[in-house]
Amino acid sequence: MISTKKIGMMEKVPPHVFFLVSALFRYLGPAFAVLLFAHVSVLGVAWLRIASAAVVFAAWRRPWRLFMSTSWAIRRILIALGVVLGLMNACFYLAIARIPLSTVGAIEFLGPITLAALGARTPRNISALLLAAAGGWLLTDARFSGSPLGFGFAFANCLLFILYIVLGHRIAEDGGAAGIDRLGAAMLIALLAVSPLGLTDALPAFPQPLLLLAGIGVGVCSSVIPYVCDQLAMARLPRATYALLLSLLPASATIIGIVVLHQLPKPIEIVGILFVVVAVILHKEADVQPKKHAKSV
């Protein structure tokens, strides 16, 4: 349960802060996952990520209660989101096992920038959109080489990421607290969706406590912290604004790639990062009516 007092405290935190925390952890976890690939197969790591996140949400939120009591319209959204989460994470890991993390982050950005384009209504925001697109292109073009299969998985992840944003905003409409419960239910469905693909590959990690703990750490960093922060940000930001903020993903992926994986950027990538940062600063949110948040969950 999230109390009214806690909801009030969270509402005092600017939504952009939640987004920045999400952007940081979104690629920090996968960067550690890359280090696990030497011991556990790619789909096994993806399963460990989703399974550990599902266990955390189950213990914290008990989301099955919401799933059983909600309408079929909401259940369909949760089932769709769960399947999207499962497949998105699998495609993401299959991509970063083949091409650099910053490249995957740049391709992932192409989906959100499309959503931002649909929401751009002022010359200032259109300019920010074009600048962000240019930055994303520089980041993508600078590393557009490597495994064709890796790029196939990266673009599949991009399409699934668009669906995640759209469905994520749908479950966040009643406020961050309600969205977190719905996210927890979707994560349990994601576990069911990905188990046929990755459970067998994850079994070698079970007798090895350090690998199992590493997998749990990846799940918390990749699927609990960022997805919860996404809900808290989506509940208070227009979808176009949130989509443009996601332009920071290529930059955060590049920075994490430097720090954790020692994948050094080229000068053109640094220029691309600067373009994206300036675009986010230039963007101005549209005036929207504040959403009515649930008092308790």
Side-chain angles (χ1 to χ4, degrees), residues 14-76:
H16 301 79
V17 173
F18 292 120
F19 172 82
L20 290 174
V21 173
S22 172
L24 173 63
F25 279 93
R26 187 178 300 275
Y27 293 116
L28 183 60
F32 291 128
V34 170
L35 303 178
L36 273 175
F37 290 162
H39 307 283
V40 182
S41 71
V42 175
L43 289 176
V45 174
W47 186 90
L48 288 171
R49 166 181 172 170
I50 295 171
S52 57
V55 170
V56 170
F57 279 113
W60 176 31
R61 307 301 297 170
R62 296 179 177 84
W64 55 83
R65 297 180 302 182
L66 176 142
F67 186 84
M68 297 305 296
S69 62
T70 194
S71 67
W72 267 109
I74 297 297
R75 288 184 195 177
R76 284 193 292 269

Side-chain angles (χ1 to χ4, degrees), residues 15 82 89 169 184 195 212 228:
N89 283 290
H169 266 89
S195 287
L212 198 56
V228 167

Side-chain angles (χ1 to χ4, degrees), residues 38 59 90 95-97 109 116 169 218 238 240 269 288:
I96 65 174
F109 148 84
H169 266 89
V218 168
E269 291 179 284
V288 293

Side-chain angles (χ1 to χ4, degrees), residues 74-271:
I74 297 297
R75 288 184 195 177
R76 284 193 292 269
I77 295 173
L78 296 179
I79 292 171
L81 179 59
V83 173
V84 165
L85 285 171
L87 295 178
M88 181 178 74
N89 283 290
C91 288
F92 182 82
Y93 279 145
L94 288 166
I96 65 174
R98 292 168 170 81
I99 58 178
L101 179 61
S102 59
T103 305
V104 179
I107 293 172
E108 190 172 57
F109 148 84
L110 297 177
I113 206 64
T114 301
L115 293 178
L118 298 175
R121 292 292 183 268
T122 67
R124 174 172 172 169
N125 285 355
I126 292 173
S127 299
L129 174 63
L130 293 174
L131 192 59
W137 171 254
L138 290 175
L139 284 166
T140 305
D141 190 56
R143 288 189 178 270
F144 215 80
S145 62
S147 164
L149 185 58
F151 280 98
F153 285 123
F155 279 105
N157 172 68
C158 172
L159 294 175
L160 290 163
F161 192 46
I162 294 175
L163 293 176
Y164 164 71
I165 296 170
V166 173
L167 294 171
H169 266 89
R170 290 286 300 277
I171 69 170
E173 288 177 351
D174 296 333
I180 292 170
D181 282 343
R182 291 170 180 170
L183 173 64
M187 192 60 69
L188 293 179
I189 295 166
L191 177 58
L192 295 176
V194 81
S195 287
L197 300 175
L199 176 57
T200 301
D201 292 334
L203 292 179
F206 282 77
Q208 304 184 58
L210 290 179
L211 290 182
L212 198 56
L213 285 173
I216 293 171
V218 168
V220 171
C221 288
S222 300
S223 293
V224 177
I225 296 174
Y227 291 166
V228 167
C229 288
D230 281 349
Q231 282 300 303
L232 295 172
M234 286 177 175
R236 294 161 59 194
L237 290 172
R239 191 169 74 187
T241 298
Y242 182 83
L244 186 64
L245 283 173
L246 287 170
S247 303
L248 288 172
L249 293 183
S252 64
T254 300
I255 292 170
I256 295 298
I258 294 170
V259 175
V260 180
L261 302 177
H262 307 294
Q263 297 173 344
L264 298 178
K266 300 175 182 178
I268 193 171
E269 291 179 284
I270 297 174
V271 174

